[in-house]
Amino acid sequence: MNFITDAAVKAVKTLYQTDINPFDVSLQETRKEFEGQVTIVTFPFTRFSKKSPEQTGAEIGEYLKNELSEVSTFNVIKGFLNISISNSYWIDQLNNVIASNDFAVSKPNGKKVMVEYSSPNTNKPLHLGHVRNNLLGYSVTQILEAAGYEVIKANLVNDRGIHICKSMLAWQKFGNGETPESTGEKGDHLVGKYYVIFDKEYKKQIDELKLAGQSEEDAKKNAPLIKEAQEMLLKWEAGDDKVIDLWQTMNGWVYGGFAETYEKMGVAFDQYYYESNTYLLGKDIVEEGLASGVFFKKDDGSVWIDLTNEGLDQKLVLRADGTSVYITQDMGTAQLKYDDYHMDESIYVVGNEQDYHFKVLFLILQKLGKSWAKGLYHLSYGMVDLPSGKMKSREGTVVDADDLIAEMEATAKEQTEALGKTNDFSEEEKEELYHIIGMGALKYFLLKVDPKKRLLFDPNESVDFQGHTGPFIQYTHARIKSVLNRATITGIDAEPSDLASEERDLILLLTQFPDIIKQAATAYNPGLVANYAYELAKNYNKFYHEHSILQAEDELIKQFRLQLSAASAKVISRAMGLLGILVPERM
Ligand code: ARG
């Protein structure tokens, strides 16, 4: 309640001729045993008033009551000034939430930000790590947009390199012309299968060479398969028609598969970047850095940057044979992104195993004198684990994103049916509902945690309708909708004479939403929005259990409670929307 803080600053100035900071005013919720809703701690002001805490509180209270129409009464307990806010203030706030279509959406702030997220490789399907990435990235774009930014959602696809050639080669050798159409398999899974086959066959060859007396190191280099893959990469770089053809076909399969997974996850992109388009630009930047002396060449022709003065080490930016490394491509992509959009900020949503890479990348771009380098930010996040034994993927190592989504839908179905909540739903409605609940559970569980923290995902816990979960909040929303559907809202034409603490608490929470969005945008942390949505749902349920809505004492109170319910549903829905989570109308 900023207006109380501001008025308190003025009070101290007027009464005691002292300038204080808004930060010096400590506001708290009034303790339940006292009358009032907000409390100012007045102990610190006795230094200026040179009076007892009681007297100081009374003087400031008197001042606030005279100055602010919103203050109806106050009482002083030692160094605590408890303030009662008038009912009209609460009603105004509530009406404000109801009236504005875009409640909590900030005006455009004139700033442009690019958020790159997902950024998969085209040799295998999306996995659990991508799931956290996609959900986090998408949610951050929604939060930044709500905070007033113009946002570009970008995806950088790693579509070239030796790993891509491995799946291509294995398909060529062992694929018998299989296609997604001929097998009915999703394109990204089909390609991923051949990536695994490559590895298996390659290992066999290594073992054979070792049996024939070669060292492990030599065997890895000499195995015919790896040599062929390397040749294929050279042909690709030389633009060989056949190789390029195969590359396009197989990448096309993968994109088809990714598109399906993205759609199911509810994420989207405005702009795709492809490493095959940017790695050459990276080589241009290497030239630029050599010319300006930021990079240096070693005797073997490889190009490096020396970051020892920055506490890092020497870093390779171009191999001796002239081929690019990961960071070469990223230098090119960064330049291209900026040339395309001239954005103020550019965020990279990438796991924390790449912290060092981005530290080096940003430092290099600063040293190259790129004016935009200061706007680069690595939104680093921790790993996701599953309880052991849960959902081994077909290769037994990583958990596949599509499998996880299917598992979530199945869990949602099980739990919902057990509660008998969908008995009157059609099959189609049920399927949609299980998808919404399953994804809501997954998204909420992953997003409520600070991105930096490593987390353990527990599918069953995430669907618990009574827990700190997405489905609990979704269910609260559906419950409100069901109440609203059974009544006619005509609006509040007068003020209810008395408001209960649960009602004021709920209105107070509703008014805090815009501020929560700003905090979440500044910290790039959807967790703040997630926890807010939970508080709101919890407080609504408390209100719902304490007060009857449809059987309220009189029509005025009934209308007020209906409005309060409508506003709560609206804000819950909006908050969940910022997390990419849908809320059902009924469940
Ligand atoms: N494709 C990379 C990987 O799977 C992630 C790319 C992240 N973005 C970037 N600009 N480097 O590890």
Side-chain angles (χ1 to χ4, degrees):
M1 289 211 211
N2 290 335
F3 71 97
I4 299 276
T5 307
D6 293 344
V9 171
K10 279 205 200 115
V12 172
K13 168 104 182 147
T14 312
L15 297 170
Y16 314 125
Q17 292 76 47
T18 309
D19 283 308
I20 60 165
N21 235 303
F23 308 116
D24 300 328
V25 181
S26 143
L27 277 197
Q28 315 177 334
E29 229 174 275
T30 304
R31 304 229 319 248
K32 289 286 171 254
E33 61 266 41
F34 302 126
E35 207 190 309
Q37 294 92 45
V38 253
T39 294
I40 301 181
V41 186
T42 53
F43 280 116
F45 306 143
T46 54
R47 276 204 294 144
F48 316 128
S49 67
K50 315 260 186 315
K51 292 175 184 158
S52 71
E54 287 82 357
Q55 233 178 323
T56 309
E59 285 177 2
I60 296 177
E62 208 49 60
Y63 177 93
L64 296 179
K65 193 179 160 192
N66 288 332
E67 292 295 312
L68 298 176
S69 60
E70 295 91 341
V71 173
S72 54
T73 59
F74 68 91
N75 64 83
V76 178
I77 311 281
K78 299 213 178 76
F80 298 97
L81 168 58
N82 304 321
I83 299 167
S84 296
I85 305 287
S86 69
N87 287 347
S88 62
Y89 169 80
W90 297 110
I91 303 290
D92 281 353
Q93 294 293 316
L94 176 59
N95 281 332
N96 187 22
V97 178
I98 299 276
S100 65
N101 292 329
D102 51 359
F103 173 67
V105 173
S106 299
K107 289 194 196 65
N109 66 7
K111 290 229 167 95
K112 219 190 265 185
V113 57
M114 178 180 281
V115 179
E116 183 217 286
Y117 70 101
S118 201
S119 298
N121 303 349
T122 58
N123 61 329
K124 49 184 175 208
L126 303 177
H127 56 70
L128 183 57
H130 290 115
V131 173
R132 186 174 200 184
N133 185 316
N134 294 346
L135 302 181
L136 177 61
Y138 181 75
S139 178
V140 165
T141 66
Q142 300 308 295
I143 289 168
L144 289 172
E145 238 163 53
Y149 286 86
E150 182 189 338
V151 180
I152 304 122
K153 301 190 282 289
N155 191 349
L156 166 73
V157 184
N158 179 342
D159 62 340
R160 63 165 290 279
I162 192 74
H163 50 302
I164 314 291
C165 290
K166 286 178 182 176
S167 24
M168 284 160 61
L169 187 68
W171 182 84
Q172 223 174 28
K173 285 187 165 316
F174 313 109
N176 297 317
E178 269 190 11
T179 67
E181 291 74 41
S182 76
T183 58
E185 211 169 337
K186 220 168 144 260
D188 50 339
H189 288 217
L190 186 70
V191 171
K193 182 171 91 184
Y194 285 99
Y195 186 69
V196 173
I197 291 178
F198 177 94
D199 236 32
K200 225 167 62 198
E201 297 297 324
Y202 178 37
K203 284 215 180 81
K204 272 194 217 157
Q205 291 186 347
I206 294 173
D207 288 342
E208 278 164 23
L209 292 176
K210 274 163 63 182
L211 275 178
Q214 293 201 13
S215 70
E216 166 106 27
E217 207 184 323
D218 285 345
K220 277 187 175 164
K221 267 191 244 156
N222 295 333
L225 267 177
I226 195 71
K227 290 198 147 163
E228 276 181 82
Q230 281 155 358
E231 271 162 38
M232 194 180 233
L233 182 58
L234 286 176
K235 282 192 182 162
W236 182 91
E237 294 216 3
D240 180 285
D241 284 346
K242 271 213 189 103
V243 172
I244 296 286
D245 235 29
L246 177 62
W247 174 70
Q248 275 168 346
T249 304
M250 289 183 71
N251 273 352
W253 295 344
V254 174
Y255 296 140
F258 285 171
E260 252 181 66
T261 309
Y262 286 145
E263 162 107 39
K264 273 192 283 181
M265 279 194 184
V267 305
F269 304 93
D270 307 306
Q271 171 77 57
Y272 274 85
Y273 288 102
Y274 298 93
E275 212 179 292
S276 58
N277 279 332
T278 62
Y279 81 109
L280 292 176
L281 284 172
K283 292 190 188 187
D284 294 344
I285 295 183
V286 171
E287 288 305 320
E288 187 185 316
L290 273 173
S292 64
V294 173
F295 298 149
F296 69 95
K297 207 174 234 172
K298 290 197 176 171
D299 289 343
D300 65 357
S302 56
V303 182
W304 298 73
I305 185 164
D306 188 353
L307 296 172
T308 44
N309 282 340
E310 281 75 17
L312 307 175
D313 50 16
Q314 291 194 348
K315 177 84 189 169
L316 177 77
V317 297
L318 197 71
R319 289 201 194 90
D321 63 3
T323 58
S324 57
V325 288
Y326 181 37
I327 208 159
T328 327
Q329 165 277 126
D330 250 333
M331 296 189 298
T333 313
Q335 181 72 56
L336 183 62
K337 283 174 171 179
Y338 183 73
D339 292 344
D340 282 350
Y341 290 98
H342 284 84
M343 58 278 193
D344 304 278
E345 286 169 53
S346 184
I347 297 168
Y348 294 76
V349 182
V350 184
N352 60 11
E353 70 277 4
Q354 296 194 26
D355 284 355
Y356 186 74
H357 169 78
F358 283 102
K359 214 165 156 180
V360 172
L361 175 67
F362 297 167
L363 205 52
I364 289 179
L365 293 167
Q366 274 163 29
K367 284 185 169 271
L368 288 169
K370 305 291 179 191
S371 60
W372 40 267
K374 57 185 184 314
L376 304 173
Y377 179 76
H378 175 203
L379 176 48
S380 166
Y381 60 87
M383 266 186 53
V384 189
D385 302 299
L386 280 173
S388 58
K390 267 271 165 212
M391 290 197 56
K392 282 252 175 67
S393 76
R394 60 202 100 222
E395 293 98 47
T397 45
V398 288
V399 174
D400 180 85
D402 295 315
D403 291 350
L404 179 62
I405 293 172
E407 163 91 14
M408 290 311 299
E409 289 168 351
T411 310
K413 178 174 176 182
E414 224 170 81
Q415 305 248 13
T416 315
E417 277 177 352
L419 294 171
K421 286 192 195 294
T422 51
N423 296 338
D424 60 336
F425 278 55
S426 73
E427 281 313 306
E428 208 176 299
E429 287 171 331
K430 276 187 198 165
E431 214 170 283
E432 192 190 337
L433 183 69
Y434 300 148
H435 177 72
I436 292 179
I437 296 176
M439 291 308 288
L442 174 66
K443 291 179 181 186
Y444 191 86
F445 201 97
L446 296 192
L447 289 173
K448 75 175 177 186
V449 180
D450 186 312
K452 304 253 175 312
K453 296 215 172 93
R454 185 168 180 158
L455 67 84
L456 181 69
F457 177 61
D458 185 334
N460 285 324
E461 190 189 325
S462 78
V463 184
D464 183 354
F465 284 93
Q466 311 293 331
H468 179 184
T469 64
F472 166 74
I473 301 169
Q474 289 174 318
Y475 183 65
T476 304
H477 179 266
R479 157 179 278 169
I480 300 175
K481 285 289 168 164
S482 126
V483 173
L484 295 176
N485 282 336
R486 283 182 279 140
T488 322
I489 302 190
T490 53
I492 324 168
D493 45 14
E495 235 167 74
S497 53
D498 204 15
L499 295 183
S501 65
E502 293 82 16
E503 294 165 336
R504 281 188 301 243
D505 285 351
L506 201 47
I507 299 175
L508 182 61
L509 254 180
L510 291 170
T511 62
Q512 287 165 352
F513 187 40
D515 214 46
I516 296 288
I517 296 178
K518 279 191 202 113
Q519 288 172 29
T522 310
Y524 306 117
N525 183 3
L528 300 174
V529 175
N531 285 287
Y532 169 80
Y534 178 63
E535 279 309 308
L536 191 52
K538 241 182 16 187
N539 271 270
Y540 183 85
N541 283 313
K542 200 162 141 214
F543 153 76
Y544 181 86
H545 287 298
E546 299 284 327
H547 304 280
S548 69
I549 300 172
L550 299 176
Q551 315 299 329
E553 298 87 292
D554 61 45
E555 183 62 21
L556 181 58
I557 296 182
K558 177 172 156 186
Q559 286 300 326
F560 163 71
R561 288 182 185 155
L562 284 170
Q563 289 285 38
L564 187 52
S565 301
S568 302
K570 180 169 165 174
V571 174
I572 287 177
S573 161
R574 179 86 179 111
M576 295 293 266
L578 294 179
L579 305 173
I581 300 175
L582 296 172
V583 284
E585 291 292 306
R586 63 189 194 118
M587 66 191 260

